[in-house]
Amino acid sequence: MGTTCGSKIDPLYRYVRALVICFILLPCIQLSLGAKTRHFKWEVEYKYWSPDCIENIVMAINGQFPGPTIRAKVGDTISVELTNKLSTEGVVIHWHGIRQIGTPWADGTASISQCAINPGETYNYRFKVDKPGTYFYHGHLGMQRSAGLYGSLIVDLAEGEKEPFYYDGELNLLLSDWWHKNTHDQEIGLFTNPFRWVGESQSLLINGRGQYNCSLAAKFSSNTSISQCKLRGTEQCAPKILHVLPNKTYRLRLASATSLASLSLAIGNHKMLVVEADGNYVQPFEVDDLDIYSGESYSVLLTTNQDPSNNYWLSIGVRGRLPQTPQGLTILNYHPNSASKLPISAPPVTPVWNDYNHSKAFTNKILALMGTPKPPINHDRRIILLNTQNKIDGYTKWALNNVSLVLPPTPYLGSIKYGLKNAFDQKNPPENFDSINYDVTKPPVNPNSTYGNGVYMLGFNTTVDVILQNANALSANVSEIHPWHLHGHDFWVLGYGDGKFSADKDEKKLNLKNPPLRNSAIIFPYGWTALRFVADNPGVWAFHCHIEPHLHMGMGVIFAEGVDRLSTIPNEGLTCGLTGKMFSGQKN
Amino acid sequence: MGTTCGSKIDPLYRYVRALVICFILLPCIQLSLGAKTRHFKWEVEYKYWSPDCIENIVMAINGQFPGPTIRAKVGDTISVELTNKLSTEGVVIHWHGIRQIGTPWADGTASISQCAINPGETYNYRFKVDKPGTYFYHGHLGMQRSAGLYGSLIVDLAEGEKEPFYYDGELNLLLSDWWHKNTHDQEIGLFTNPFRWVGESQSLLINGRGQYNCSLAAKFSSNTSISQCKLRGTEQCAPKILHVLPNKTYRLRLASATSLASLSLAIGNHKMLVVEADGNYVQPFEVDDLDIYSGESYSVLLTTNQDPSNNYWLSIGVRGRLPQTPQGLTILNYHPNSASKLPISAPPVTPVWNDYNHSKAFTNKILALMGTPKPPINHDRRIILLNTQNKIDGYTKWALNNVSLVLPPTPYLGSIKYGLKNAFDQKNPPENFDSINYDVTKPPVNPNSTYGNGVYMLGFNTTVDVILQNANALSANVSEIHPWHLHGHDFWVLGYGDGKFSADKDEKKLNLKNPPLRNSAIIFPYGWTALRFVADNPGVWAFHCHIEPHLHMGMGVIFAEGVDRLSTIPNEGLTCGLTGKMFSGQKN
């Protein structure tokens, strides 16, 4: 069951309980002493594992899949000594949602914030966690996230601080999707002409656990070919049972590390109260099911107020793409029922995949909790990014304003800091597209695109708007969902709209009153999304579609701000490309 | 058909032909101007390919598998600008058989002579070819050789020089083995407890071509389940037909890049005259079949003196391991027969896999051609290396004198040059084993071994003997063949023997008169092999079993000599590990 240490309940009870628990549990005593540095020594290697009852290979950390959960308090410093135990591959880890204020070299983005860590080498990620919330970490090189390199990162309030909501216990769910095909093979398919697409995932995983060759809910299925799982609970693919007491409130921490899938999560018979999104509090609202896109995190409160003699399903299913993947399932197990007691009815049905109105209704309910910082009223710069699927030399790509990102071998953080003009295209990438003539409802008239690695250089402390403009893909009547994620910042989501963004028409609809602060936001098919952020964090920051194959097909841009304000950059992370040569050149 | 330009024939005819050909063919004119620098720009990437008619993924160079053939003349400088177009993996290329005199940083051994080239980076391999012969190149990181990263490297005599044998034409055969299982998966199996072995290869390839789901010789087979190949010749797996004219002499250049397989090669009805081994001339001797182990190369002369109305099989089959892999086949096509005309009888039968007397008889015939440099009479140092299969923490390993090599993240060449004592174990690895008490005919009494990365520091210009001592593996009655390859040198093969090497008994049997100079030599099961070389090439040099999984399980040692004599090392190849940090430390 979830930890209750430090959660928010009746003050008197809390005091008594704190006395009892904290004098028994040494960790609590330590935590109460205030901010500390939390040291981790991690080794990344491949390992045989059966995430969905089918043996495969995962990227494991210290032999675990998913990687170990990091739990810290606001103000703590996380120190992860990451050793690459792979044979031929580099590795990095991105701490998704951590803004890395003052430590842009710890953002864990290969070619952007650092060189990939070579086999046998150790890199020390050292950064402060300054905001409570539900985060996660993952690989940010090649398809290493898809290969299983991810884990949870949870930041609790500093001692003495109170959450704006109450809960008795906590449950942590890290969601992902899983393919049987080797990620190296998947990746080669992306860079092949004709394009080879791996297709939908074989399984959905909850905390790294799914079931491919059987179903926990087979007895409720009309599909008689799938058998009921017979799991002892000790298998790597056995579901993590959610043990709860009746009539309590639980905080479910949800984060999606999926490579591709947009998910809907629901719990049979129970409603959920959404209270946090991407490490920011939101105005609580109740839902029967919740959309969660790759790169997003939420906290929802679940009250165990249903018939305690039953157990209930928690299910995740695919949204936004015709689902070919069975629901991911686990069981909400009311104490003292046996965990193996199946719920009395079928798992919740995932909303129809292309019911975008359902998704939009959910998304539009997400508003900042009072007290959340508000956006500046005006923007200094507006970058409009047309999202298109394109072709370059016959290869299928994704592009922004017709530029498909290919990362350079020299990390931008070093090449900008040291003024290495040959390291990347010095021209600013396009600020806009031909919005008058471009028909976003049709496949591109000229699908030919170009590769690019230029940087949007942002004035320090300026307010930047980004309008993400969706469009039709290469095939007629196809426009995909893209969940965009920004490194180094939270942004305000000023609004979503259908069709082509019009400054005249849509500007005034933007929400400057209580827009949610987030690090991820989606664009709906044929729609636009307006974001605003302040370029106040010296560093170089990726902004990209969080669908891993889309990123590798070029769907990202690079922002840089205030790099000249960084007095020193640890060169440890820059021993590759031109920065590597620069340093080595000094020797001879 | 093979090139005839520059081959050795009757002088008068040669003069006339040279006039005719060289005034027609510009390349010949260029070549006749003397040593030159041959520039290549290569890109390494994965590519879908069907080496054995089954689609798979290969490591291709410039979109080709095998990689392009390099052809140069003695005295030429080879310059390969190698760009890593892989997504997450480093890459290096080793120029197998090229001694890299004066250019140890170009030897292409990750962790030894250089850092692996990172994705997106380019490394310039620049080295002189100083000795004519049949060589090849291949990846030297992880299992990248097994993944298909190899190609031929042929060095012709300098203009005006004459081979000590005559031939009319030339045919070049690069031999390899091929698995359907992804090499990443294969490699993970090696580092898993319990050990997972991929088993024997699915196919044998000749110039990257084999046939898995059919046989060129099905009609001669008693196995009726295998079908006769129907290939148009344009398929990636269609055999490279060996087109010959009747009554001519051809030089067949043979090199084995196998990951595992020891091979026997034979040509139906034809004898072969062995004239070159590993880039050194040998006393010509005639054979019906020839053993070729991984890492070896040979030239044999083939005279097309058989019935010209027929075609003939060339076959390769597995030696030294119970073969589970069909023979690799192609056709010797006598002009003007159709290439599709099958030989009239079955392909030559490969000698029984464990007929080691057959192999020993062949090996013992290999003697230096008169004029080959002779070894020094005395040695300054003798290192005896016991080859054992061991266990470390339950993992299966190979070890030398109980030390299983694990390469460090900092390349030795840099760490030795700059005296970085933390880069590797500064203690000399063991010079010997307990030869009195160790029973090489039995599994190890104590199979526990240790990891190590120490270096045998060799006195510059000293004469070093290495006695490779084979032993029983972990299972009773098993002793494997190991083909050992030395970088940076040729060695003299002073002799082979059965059982435990005895200085008293065996010393006097060593051949100091005409031992062959080679860069590769095998140890037979339960036997020993005595090698001698002069440590006269400043650099750091791997000496290892050329079976790729064996190397990765620790079966290698490191020699270093005269590194202090290298005035500068291009630091371009040292931007990793401690040398990377050393250079970057200078910046801040």
Side-chain angles (χ1 to χ4, degrees):
Chain A
M1 221 179 83
T3 172
T4 53
C5 181
S7 61
K8 301 296 162 263
I9 47 179
D10 174 85
L12 178 61
Y13 174 63
R14 184 167 180 272
Y15 176 68
V16 174
R17 201 194 50 175
L19 279 178
V20 173
I21 296 178
C22 291
F23 279 95
I24 295 168
L25 300 174
L26 191 63
C28 277
I29 297 175
Q30 291 182 325
L31 293 181
S32 68
L33 297 177
K36 57 186 282 190
T37 298
R38 295 175 190 271
H39 290 285
F40 301 90
K41 278 193 178 219
W42 285 1
E43 293 185 346
V44 175
E45 64 188 325
Y46 285 108
K47 201 169 155 65
Y48 290 105
W49 203 272
S50 301
D52 62 352
C53 306
I54 303 293
E55 193 186 68
N56 213 315
I57 287 162
V58 298
M59 287 195 107
I61 296 175
N62 293 352
Q64 284 179 248
F65 168 76
T69 294
I70 292 183
R71 187 128 202 162
K73 281 185 188 295
V74 167
D76 286 351
T77 296
I78 307 290
S79 167
V80 177
E81 281 181 57
L82 186 73
T83 300
N84 178 352
K85 301 288 275 186
L86 308 172
S87 163
T88 57
E89 291 181 67
V91 76
V92 290
I93 289 186
H94 168 57
W95 316 92
H96 187 109
I98 306 300
R99 291 169 297 169
Q100 302 289 355
I101 296 170
T103 54
W105 46 80
D107 194 41
T109 44
S111 286
I112 303 169
S113 64
Q114 69 171 114
C115 302
I117 306 162
N118 294 313
E121 291 182 1
T122 299
Y123 186 84
N124 192 0
Y125 288 102
R126 201 180 160 86
F127 56 90
K128 221 167 191 170
V129 289
D130 60 355
K131 204 157 61 75
T134 304
Y135 307 103
F136 65 112
Y137 61 82
H138 61 79
H140 214 291
L141 173 64
M143 299 277 282
Q144 294 184 344
R145 174 156 56 90
S146 304
L149 186 55
Y150 44 73
S152 292
L153 198 176
I154 294 171
V155 182
D156 291 306
L157 287 171
E159 205 59 26
E161 298 288 318
K162 281 182 75 168
E163 302 277 7
F165 43 82
Y166 160 88
Y167 55 101
D168 299 294
E170 204 179 301
L171 299 162
N172 180 38
L173 304 185
L174 181 61
L175 313 177
S176 57
D177 41 11
W178 186 249
W179 281 259
H180 292 165
K181 190 172 184 177
N182 185 296
T183 51
H184 294 102
D185 296 5
Q186 288 186 41
E187 189 175 22
I188 295 160
L190 301 179
F191 299 111
T192 295
N193 180 9
F195 184 64
R196 297 198 193 183
W197 176 241
V198 65
E200 302 300 308
S201 67
Q202 274 65 60
S203 301
L204 299 177
L205 308 182
I206 301 173
N207 293 326
R209 291 153 180 269
Q211 300 79 38
Y212 175 75
N213 53 3
C214 67
S215 168
L216 300 177
K219 60 178 285 190
F220 300 102
S221 171
S222 57
N223 178 356
T224 53
S225 69
I226 187 87
S227 65
Q228 181 71 29
C229 294
K230 292 190 183 73
L231 296 167
R232 295 184 309 279
T234 53
E235 298 86 355
Q236 290 172 337
C237 65
K240 189 195 159 189
I241 301 294
L242 308 174
H243 301 286
V244 292
L245 296 172
N247 295 309
K248 298 281 178 190
T249 296
Y250 291 87
R251 178 180 190 168
L252 264 66
R253 293 184 181 269
L254 310 170
S256 175
T258 57
S259 173
L260 175 66
S262 304
L263 298 173
S264 168
L265 179 143
I267 305 172
N269 291 48
H270 292 74
K271 292 190 181 295
M272 297 174 284
L273 190 72
V274 181
V275 294
E276 180 215 341
D278 297 355
N280 292 287
Y281 298 124
V282 299
Q283 290 182 19
F285 63 100
E286 198 172 68
V287 291
D288 290 312
D289 56 81
L290 165 138
D291 283 345
I292 178 165
Y293 301 91
S294 179
E296 292 188 336
S297 63
Y298 288 100
S299 283
V300 299
L301 299 183
L302 166 80
T303 301
T304 50
N305 54 8
Q306 295 301 302
D307 179 353
S309 67
N310 292 329
N311 290 335
Y312 300 88
W313 294 114
L314 180 143
S315 72
I316 53 175
V318 173
R319 302 299 321 275
R321 304 177 69 93
L322 181 64
Q324 307 283 334
T325 312
Q327 284 183 323
L329 294 172
T330 189
I331 283 173
L332 189 70
N333 171 221
Y334 271 59
H335 184 80
N337 300 334
S338 161
S340 61
K341 180 179 181 177
L342 288 186
I344 55 172
S345 50
V349 175
T350 305
V352 179
W353 71 274
N354 57 358
D355 180 359
Y356 294 113
N357 288 334
H358 188 92
S359 300
K360 290 173 185 173
F362 171 79
T363 302
N364 285 319
K365 283 182 196 155
I366 302 168
L367 297 168
L369 188 66
M370 199 179 294
T372 302
K374 290 192 179 186
I377 299 298
N378 298 309
H379 60 274
D380 298 305
R381 180 174 178 182
R382 176 171 282 169
I383 298 166
I384 304 182
L385 297 175
L386 176 70
N387 289 232
T388 50
Q389 197 179 29
N390 293 74
K391 290 275 184 185
I392 302 181
D393 300 334
Y395 294 89
T396 303
K397 298 288 167 190
W398 289 94
L400 289 312
N401 297 343
N402 221 31
V403 178
S404 184
L405 180 66
V406 177
L407 292 171
T410 310
Y412 290 106
L413 187 61
S415 54
I416 294 174
K417 170 75 182 167
Y418 298 115
L420 305 180
K421 298 201 188 303
N422 294 326
F424 63 90
D425 187 353
Q426 298 293 303
K427 219 175 61 193
N428 221 24
E431 205 83 357
N432 207 332
F433 66 103
D434 179 3
S435 64
I436 294 169
N437 296 308
Y438 196 95
D439 184 348
V440 299
T441 68
K442 300 269 165 57
V445 175
N446 174 9
N448 288 326
S449 176
T450 54
Y451 294 116
N453 61 19
V455 173
Y456 291 94
M457 298 288 183
L458 307 179
F460 191 67
N461 264 332
T462 57
T463 299
V464 179
D465 274 15
V466 176
I467 311 291
L468 289 164
Q469 177 65 59
N470 211 339
N472 197 101
L474 286 170
S475 306
N477 301 314
V478 174
S479 182
E480 296 191 21
I481 284 178
H482 301 286
W484 279 79
H485 170 64
L486 178 58
H487 292 232
H489 308 79
D490 287 338
F491 47 63
W492 291 274
V493 187
L494 304 185
Y496 301 86
D498 294 327
K500 207 187 288 183
F501 177 81
S502 150
D504 293 344
K505 186 166 57 73
D506 295 318
E507 183 88 41
K508 53 184 171 289
K509 293 189 217 157
L510 299 182
N511 174 13
L512 299 180
K513 209 182 85 201
N514 58 359
L517 261 179
R518 305 199 64 169
N519 60 57
S520 297
I522 61 157
I523 45 173
F524 288 106
Y526 300 110
W528 56 262
T529 299
L531 312 174
R532 179 166 294 178
F533 67 97
V534 179
D536 57 1
N537 189 10
V540 187
W541 310 108
F543 178 51
H544 61 91
C545 175
H546 208 261
I547 292 176
E548 196 162 52
H550 287 189
L551 170 57
H552 294 297
M553 293 162 72
M555 202 167 202
V557 298
I558 305 294
F559 294 140
E561 68 216 39
V563 173
D564 55 333
R565 294 173 171 251
L566 298 165
S567 55
T568 57
I569 296 175
N571 291 338
E572 193 181 341
L574 299 177
T575 60
C576 65
L578 295 180
T579 42
K581 287 187 187 179
M582 184 178 83
F583 302 141
S584 66
Q586 300 185 329
K587 182 76 196 175
N588 279 347
Chain B
M1 222 180 83
T3 171
T4 54
C5 181
S7 60
K8 301 297 162 264
I9 48 178
D10 174 85
L12 178 61
Y13 174 64
R14 185 167 178 272
Y15 176 69
V16 175
R17 201 194 49 179
L19 280 178
V20 172
I21 295 179
C22 290
F23 280 96
I24 295 169
L25 300 173
L26 192 62
C28 277
I29 298 175
Q30 291 182 323
L31 293 180
S32 69
L33 296 176
K36 58 187 282 190
T37 298
R38 295 175 189 269
H39 290 285
F40 302 90
K41 279 193 178 220
W42 285 2
E43 294 186 344
V44 174
E45 64 187 326
Y46 285 107
K47 200 169 157 65
Y48 289 106
W49 203 272
S50 300
D52 63 353
C53 306
I54 304 292
E55 193 188 68
N56 212 313
I57 287 161
V58 299
M59 287 195 105
I61 297 174
N62 292 353
Q64 285 180 247
F65 168 76
T69 293
I70 291 183
R71 188 126 202 166
K73 282 188 188 291
V74 167
D76 286 352
T77 296
I78 307 291
S79 166
V80 178
E81 281 181 57
L82 186 72
T83 299
N84 179 351
K85 300 289 275 186
L86 307 172
S87 163
T88 58
E89 292 183 66
V91 76
V92 291
I93 289 185
H94 168 58
W95 316 93
H96 186 108
I98 306 300
R99 292 170 297 170
Q100 302 290 355
I101 295 170
T103 52
W105 46 80
D107 194 41
T109 45
S111 287
I112 303 170
S113 64
Q114 68 171 115
C115 301
I117 306 162
N118 294 312
E121 291 182 3
T122 299
Y123 185 83
N124 192 1
Y125 288 102
R126 200 180 160 84
F127 56 89
K128 218 166 194 172
V129 289
D130 60 355
K131 205 157 61 74
T134 305
Y135 307 103
F136 64 112
Y137 61 82
H138 59 80
H140 214 289
L141 174 64
M143 299 277 282
Q144 292 184 345
R145 175 157 54 92
S146 303
L149 186 56
Y150 44 75
S152 292
L153 196 175
I154 294 171
V155 182
D156 291 305
L157 287 171
E159 204 61 24
E161 298 288 316
K162 282 183 71 167
E163 302 278 7
F165 43 82
Y166 162 87
Y167 55 101
D168 300 293
E170 206 181 300
L171 299 161
N172 180 38
L173 305 184
L174 180 61
L175 313 177
S176 56
D177 41 10
W178 186 250
W179 281 259
H180 292 165
K181 190 173 183 174
N182 184 295
T183 51
H184 293 102
D185 297 6
Q186 289 186 41
E187 189 175 22
I188 295 160
L190 301 178
F191 298 111
T192 294
N193 180 11
F195 184 64
R196 298 198 194 183
W197 176 241
V198 65
E200 302 300 309
S201 67
Q202 274 65 60
S203 301
L204 299 177
L205 308 182
I206 301 173
N207 292 328
R209 292 154 179 268
Q211 301 80 36
Y212 175 76
N213 53 3
C214 67
S215 167
L216 299 178
K219 62 177 282 190
F220 300 101
S221 172
S222 57
N223 178 355
T224 53
S225 68
I226 187 87
S227 65
Q228 182 72 29
C229 294
K230 292 190 183 71
L231 296 167
R232 293 184 310 278
T234 52
E235 298 85 355
Q236 289 172 336
C237 66
K240 189 194 159 188
I241 302 293
L242 308 174
H243 301 285
V244 291
L245 296 172
N247 295 308
K248 297 281 178 189
T249 295
Y250 292 87
R251 179 180 190 166
L252 264 67
R253 294 184 181 268
L254 310 170
S256 175
T258 56
S259 174
L260 175 65
S262 305
L263 298 173
S264 168
L265 180 143
I267 303 171
N269 292 45
H270 291 73
K271 293 192 181 295
M272 297 175 282
L273 190 72
V274 181
V275 294
E276 179 216 343
D278 298 355
N280 292 286
Y281 298 123
V282 299
Q283 290 182 18
F285 64 101
E286 198 172 66
V287 291
D288 290 311
D289 55 81
L290 165 139
D291 284 345
I292 179 165
Y293 301 91
S294 178
E296 292 187 335
S297 64
Y298 288 99
S299 282
V300 298
L301 299 184
L302 165 81
T303 301
T304 50
N305 54 8
Q306 295 300 302
D307 179 353
S309 67
N310 292 327
N311 290 336
Y312 300 88
W313 294 112
L314 180 144
S315 72
I316 53 174
V318 173
R319 302 300 320 275
R321 304 177 69 93
L322 182 63
Q324 306 284 332
T325 313
Q327 285 183 321
L329 295 172
T330 188
I331 284 172
L332 188 71
N333 171 222
Y334 271 58
H335 185 79
N337 300 333
S338 161
S340 60
K341 179 179 181 177
L342 287 187
I344 55 172
S345 50
V349 175
T350 305
V352 180
W353 71 275
N354 57 359
D355 180 359
Y356 293 113
N357 287 333
H358 187 92
S359 300
K360 289 173 186 174
F362 170 78
T363 302
N364 285 319
K365 282 182 196 154
I366 302 169
L367 297 168
L369 188 66
M370 200 179 295
T372 303
K374 290 191 180 186
I377 299 298
N378 298 308
H379 61 273
D380 297 305
R381 181 174 178 183
R382 175 170 284 168
I383 298 167
I384 304 183
L385 297 175
L386 176 70
N387 289 232
T388 51
Q389 197 179 28
N390 293 75
K391 290 275 183 184
I392 302 182
D393 303 333
Y395 294 88
T396 303
K397 297 290 167 188
W398 289 95
L400 288 313
N401 297 343
N402 221 31
V403 177
S404 184
L405 179 66
V406 178
L407 293 171
T410 310
Y412 290 106
L413 187 62
S415 54
I416 294 175
K417 170 75 181 168
Y418 298 115
L420 306 180
K421 297 202 187 304
N422 294 326
F424 62 91
D425 186 355
Q426 297 293 302
K427 220 174 62 193
N428 220 25
E431 205 82 357
N432 206 332
F433 66 103
D434 179 3
S435 64
I436 294 169
N437 296 308
Y438 195 97
D439 186 348
V440 299
T441 68
K442 301 269 166 55
V445 175
N446 174 10
N448 288 326
S449 177
T450 53
Y451 293 117
N453 61 20
V455 174
Y456 290 94
M457 297 289 184
L458 307 179
F460 190 68
N461 264 333
T462 58
T463 299
V464 178
D465 274 15
V466 176
I467 311 292
L468 289 164
Q469 176 65 58
N470 211 340
N472 198 100
L474 286 170
S475 306
N477 302 314
V478 174
S479 182
E480 295 189 20
I481 284 177
H482 301 286
W484 279 79
H485 170 64
L486 178 59
H487 292 231
H489 307 81
D490 286 339
F491 47 62
W492 290 274
V493 186
L494 303 185
Y496 301 86
D498 294 327
K500 207 185 287 181
F501 177 81
S502 151
D504 293 344
K505 187 167 56 72
D506 295 317
E507 183 88 41
K508 53 185 169 291
K509 292 187 218 159
L510 299 181
N511 174 13
L512 300 180
K513 210 183 83 202
N514 58 357
L517 262 179
R518 306 199 63 169
N519 60 56
S520 298
I522 61 156
I523 45 172
F524 288 106
Y526 301 110
W528 55 262
T529 299
L531 312 174
R532 180 167 294 178
F533 68 97
V534 179
D536 57 1
N537 189 9
V540 187
W541 309 108
F543 178 51
H544 62 90
C545 175
H546 208 261
I547 292 177
E548 195 163 52
H550 287 191
L551 170 57
H552 293 297
M553 292 163 73
M555 202 165 203
V557 298
I558 305 295
F559 294 140
E561 68 217 39
V563 174
D564 54 335
R565 294 173 170 251
L566 299 165
S567 56
T568 56
I569 297 176
N571 291 338
E572 193 181 339
L574 300 176
T575 60
C576 65
L578 295 179
T579 41
K581 288 189 186 180
M582 185 180 81
F583 302 140
S584 65
Q586 300 184 329
K587 181 76 198 174
N588 280 345

